[in-house]
Amino acid sequence: MTTLPASTERSLGLVIDLDTCVGCHACVTACKGWNTQNYGAPLSDQDAYGDASGTFLNRIHSFQVTPDAQPISDVVPPRLAQTVHFPKSCLHCEDAPCVTVCPTGASYKRVEDGIVLVNEDACMGCGLCAWACPYGAREVDEAAGVMKKCTLCVDRIYNENIPETERQPACVRTCPAGARHFGDLSDPDSDVSRLVAARGGVDLMPEQGTVPVNKYLPPRPKDTIAAPEMTDEGEDVLAPFLAPVAETPQGFLGWLDRTLEKI
């Protein structure tokens, strides 16, 4: 069994905006690239030119949801179904069960920044940490035989050989939509903490009691446009926008219509 520190000096983590993420997988690719070439053993890829069957520290899950199945009011119809892209990686929990269950001490949480890491030299690949993690955020690397997980690019964020502006996790640095943010969530004045406060950031599965450091910003409500109409030819997506606004022309158009009828 491995013990957790009583407290950490900082709580570095991610804030992910589910309203902005477009599911492009740029973060997945950047994560795989950086972590294959740097910290620890390379991330395996069993079929590099086929299905994605290797080890990934960051994955995107996509869901289609209907926020309001019933009309919101007499004038506001139910919102249409929308797709939500859900990036998932290690949440660097304050009460990390993957650490306390580790029989060799390979999994540990750093006092200086709260990052949860795996000492791959001490890991025997038993998989107990993956079993204990309620988020499925750990993966056994079949080639290396050890457990892999998100490191928050610990070898990048402290790397003084790269420009200071690039000392961010590869997924944050790469995201083209600006959906991922990195910082100290124990500091209430940090940019990420203020973002969480402003947008009502939430924990993933708080009922698990793991107190994740990473936060998710919920998607904003979408427009309540009318649903597409079904015709004999299929779905007419433009029908709601092409419906006549008045049966009888009014104003200038009404005058023009009456004038043309006299010709």
Side-chain angles (χ1 to χ4, degrees):
M1 298 285 289
T2 308
T3 58
L4 288 162
S7 62
T8 59
E9 297 170 8
R10 296 192 296 167
S11 295
L12 296 183
L14 301 175
V15 176
I16 300 175
D17 190 346
L18 300 181
D19 188 63
T20 308
C21 177
V22 296
C24 67
H25 286 71
C27 56
V28 177
T29 304
C31 171
K32 181 89 170 182
W34 179 263
N35 287 285
T36 293
Q37 304 169 57
N38 290 278
Y39 182 85
L43 300 180
S44 64
D45 199 339
Q46 278 73 50
D47 186 3
Y49 299 99
D51 295 336
S53 61
T55 304
F56 292 84
L57 309 185
N58 183 36
R59 293 180 184 269
I60 308 291
H61 304 276
S62 296
F63 304 92
Q64 191 171 56
V65 299
T66 303
D68 304 294
Q70 300 299 323
I72 301 173
S73 68
D74 293 339
V75 296
V76 181
R79 293 191 173 95
L80 299 179
Q82 62 186 87
T83 300
V84 175
H85 303 287
F86 195 91
K88 190 188 69 179
S89 59
C90 173
L91 304 169
H92 301 277
C93 305
E94 293 184 12
D95 190 7
C98 59
V99 171
T100 54
V101 78
C102 180
T104 66
S107 292
Y108 63 101
K109 188 174 182 65
R110 293 169 33 127
V111 174
E112 59 268 39
D113 52 24
I115 297 176
V116 175
L117 293 177
V118 175
N119 177 1
E120 295 178 6
D121 292 333
C123 179
M124 60 181 184
C126 66
L128 273 177
C129 55
W131 169 80
C133 175
Y135 310 109
R138 291 185 168 226
E139 296 190 18
V140 174
D141 190 305
E142 295 184 9
V146 298
M147 191 59 63
K148 299 282 187 174
K149 64 175 294 302
C150 165
T151 67
L152 278 180
C153 292
V154 67
D155 56 336
R156 180 185 181 96
I157 61 177
Y158 294 112
N159 192 338
E160 296 183 354
N161 294 316
I162 61 177
E164 187 173 356
T165 55
E166 296 186 9
R167 295 175 198 169
Q168 296 180 327
C171 59
V172 176
R173 180 68 179 161
T174 302
C175 180
R180 305 176 74 97
H181 308 268
F182 170 69
D184 182 8
L185 286 146
S186 67
D187 178 4
D189 294 325
S190 67
D191 290 342
V192 286
S193 294
R194 286 186 289 183
L195 182 59
V196 169
R199 289 282 308 280
V202 297
D203 291 345
L204 178 62
M205 299 165 61
E207 69 277 9
Q208 296 294 328
T210 60
V211 194
V213 172
N214 287 8
K215 307 295 181 189
Y216 288 93
L217 305 181
R220 298 180 179 91
K222 303 301 182 186
D223 293 338
T224 55
I225 60 175
E229 293 185 359
M230 295 299 295
T231 66
D232 294 339
E233 290 75 26
E235 186 180 84
D236 186 358
V237 297
L238 295 178
F241 306 102
L242 299 178
V245 295
E247 295 296 335
T248 304
Q250 304 294 325
F252 171 76
L253 293 178
W255 171 83
L256 179 62
D257 185 60
R258 291 191 295 272
T259 302
L260 293 176
E261 286 181 349
K262 297 178 182 178
I263 298 176

